[in-house]
């Protein structure tokens, strides 16, 4: 059974109430709120209808009293009600923090916790960054050079492509364009947690359809949920983070037949050996495909991702996106990376080979059950009485970072990113010490 989770306390009835609300002077200080008195009131349909801001109190008192009244208002009362209930996103420990804690150089930390590309970008990227002529000029809002390069790289016309500050930005942008408060999305956990997080930020409900025990999608249940709950969109990940499984064409086509917008996240597609579905957006009006330079080109720190969209959808993303979402540095880096496709291919082959070696080695560890992966990471069940969280902590003390999860479904698992051969060797040495 999928679980409908109400993220935040926004309810449908709280979304459509006609009620006067203060116009908050976003440009101003607290004094300017007080000095406006009654002029700061208008009638509107608002999702802030359930706000605890004391509009009536502001309305009735004179300016001096209002100032006193507002000074007692706690800052969080200005925050949208559904956001006040938001669980914070749990960021990973920055590796430089761990290296400082351990008294080691950052480069001596074996960082296998965030699926970055340990080879980094091709040398052309460093040259392009050093040769940047106009960092003081705003970037091209349409990222024309990058989109032209991506069109060549993907074979899809640049009019179908939009770039973003990482795929992360595009996930949020899609939700901002598609979801009205109270709309539903389908999420298939365990998967990338940003879908659930961004849905909560955008005031949407999350209908969860958990994956089968082999991490494949429960398609029957997805069909049922689409019929019953009428969600607006579904987020699918292939290969899926954290287990590395892929979605077959038949399954994808079945879901594309449903009356739902399908966002297919291909952040790790390069490691899978299967073709990207970017071209499919020409045939399927309800498909969006997301990609990133973070994994493929070792540019996670520069934040650049892209998506392929049907023309009927992309138009609205253009209207809603921040004009300068892709920085000058990000655009020149991504273009430079694409110019050295031989390097990108070499690094991909090295990571795929290392994944196979790592998988065999992890299989020999008595307390780990690794899952086969089509990506640049391997999920492992932690068995034989070993505690997954403690394993992660013990490895961190030895300078090896892997990912552990706080959520219930994955609390007994760890995920290990594929690194360079010497990083695999260091990990195995530490695991031996813990055996
Ligand atoms: C499935 C998935 N999608 C998207 C992203 C984020 O990509 P980006 O770095 O381009 O924001 C990640 C990052 O780990 C991911 O695992």
């Amino acid at each position: 059974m999928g679980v409908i989770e109400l993220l935040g306390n926004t309810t449908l009835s709280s979304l459509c109430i006609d009620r006067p609300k203060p116009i908050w002077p976003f440009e101003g200080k607290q004094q300017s709120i007080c000095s406006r008195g009654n002029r700061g009131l208008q009638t509107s349909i608002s999702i802030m209808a359930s706000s605890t801001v004391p509009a009536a109190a502001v309305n009735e008192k004179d300016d001096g009293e209002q100032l006193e009244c507002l000074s007692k208002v706690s800052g969080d009362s200005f925050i949208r009600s559904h956001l006040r209930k938001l669980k914070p996103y749990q960021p990973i420990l920055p590796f430089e923090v761990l290296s400082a804690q351990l008294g080691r150089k950052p480069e001596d930390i074996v960082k296998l916790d965030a699926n970055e590309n340990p080879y980094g970008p091709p040398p052309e990227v460093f040259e392009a960054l050093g040769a940047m002529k106009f960092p003081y000029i705003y970037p091209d809002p349409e990222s024309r050079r990058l989109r032209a390069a991506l069109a060549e790289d993907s074979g899809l016309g640049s009019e179908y492509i939009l770039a973003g500050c990482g795929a992360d930005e595009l996930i949020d942008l899609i939700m901002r364009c598609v979801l009205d408060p109270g709309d539903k999305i389908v999420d298939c956990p365990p998967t990338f947690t940003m879908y659930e997080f961004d849905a909560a930020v955008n005031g949407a409900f999350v209908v969860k359809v958990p994956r089968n025990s082999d991490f494949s999608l429960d398609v029957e249940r997805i069909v049922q949920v689409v019929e019953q709950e009428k969600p607006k969109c579904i987020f699918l990940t292939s290969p899926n983070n954290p287990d590395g499984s892929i979605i077959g064409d038949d399954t994808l086509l079945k879901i594309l037949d449903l009356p739902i917008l399908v966002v297919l996240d291909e952040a790790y597609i390069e490691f899978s050996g299967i073709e990207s579905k970017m071209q499919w957006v020409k045939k399927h009006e309800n498909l969006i495909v997301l990609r990133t330079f973070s994994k493929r080109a070792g540019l996670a720190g520069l934040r650049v991702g892209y998506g392929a969209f049907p023309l009927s959808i992309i138009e609205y993303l253009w209207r809603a996106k921040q004009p300068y979402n892709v920085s000058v540095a990000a655009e020149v880096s991504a273009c430079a990376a694409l110019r050295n496709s031989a390097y990108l291919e070499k690094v991909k082959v090295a990571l795929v080979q290392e994944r196979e070696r790592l998988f065999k080695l992890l299989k020999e560890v008595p307390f780990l059950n690794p899952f086969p992966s089509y990506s640049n990471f391997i999920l492992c069940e932690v068995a034989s009485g070993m505690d997954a969280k403690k394993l992660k902590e013990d490895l961190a003390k030895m300078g090896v970072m892997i990912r552990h999860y706080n959520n219930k479904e994955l609390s007994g698992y760890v995920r290990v990113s594929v690194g360079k051969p010497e990083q695999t060797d260091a990990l195995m040495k530490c695991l031996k010490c813990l055996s």
Side-chain angles (χ1 to χ4, degrees), residues 30 33-34 54 64-75 78:
Q30 200 176 63
I33 295 174
C34 296
E65 279 172 301
Q66 280 176 30
L67 184 59
E68 197 190 325
C69 161
L70 278 171
S71 67
K72 285 182 194 148
V73 172
S74 102
F78 293 96

Side-chain angles (χ1 to χ4, degrees), residues 114-115 165-169 171 191-192 194-195 237 239-241 265-268 291-295 300 303-306 377 415:
N115 305 337
C165 177
D168 276 349
E169 188 211 3
I171 294 167
T191 190
F192 188 42
M194 289 303 284
Y195 314 134
T237 323
N240 188 42
N241 176 3
D265 185 338
E266 291 188 336
Y268 302 98
R291 307 267 305 262
T292 179
F293 281 84
S294 296
K295 324 293 173 180
R303 312 303 301 125
V304 50
Y306 54 105
F377 49 81
R415 190 196 63 199

Side-chain angles (χ1 to χ4, degrees), residues 171 185-189 191-192 195 209 211 216-219 222 233-241 245-248 251-256 258 260-267 286-290:
I171 294 167
I185 70 150
V186 179
D187 189 37
C188 303
T191 190
F192 188 42
Y195 314 134
V209 180
R211 286 166 178 263
S216 61
L217 292 172
D218 186 346
V219 182
I222 290 172
C233 62
I234 181 166
F235 284 79
L236 301 177
T237 323
S238 182
N240 188 42
N241 176 3
S245 63
I246 49 174
I247 299 172
T251 301
L252 185 58
L253 285 167
K254 209 166 172 184
I255 298 172
L256 280 168
L258 302 172
I260 189 166
L261 176 64
V262 177
V263 182
L264 179 65
D265 185 338
E266 291 188 336
N286 62 335
L287 175 65
I288 291 173
V289 179
L290 298 180

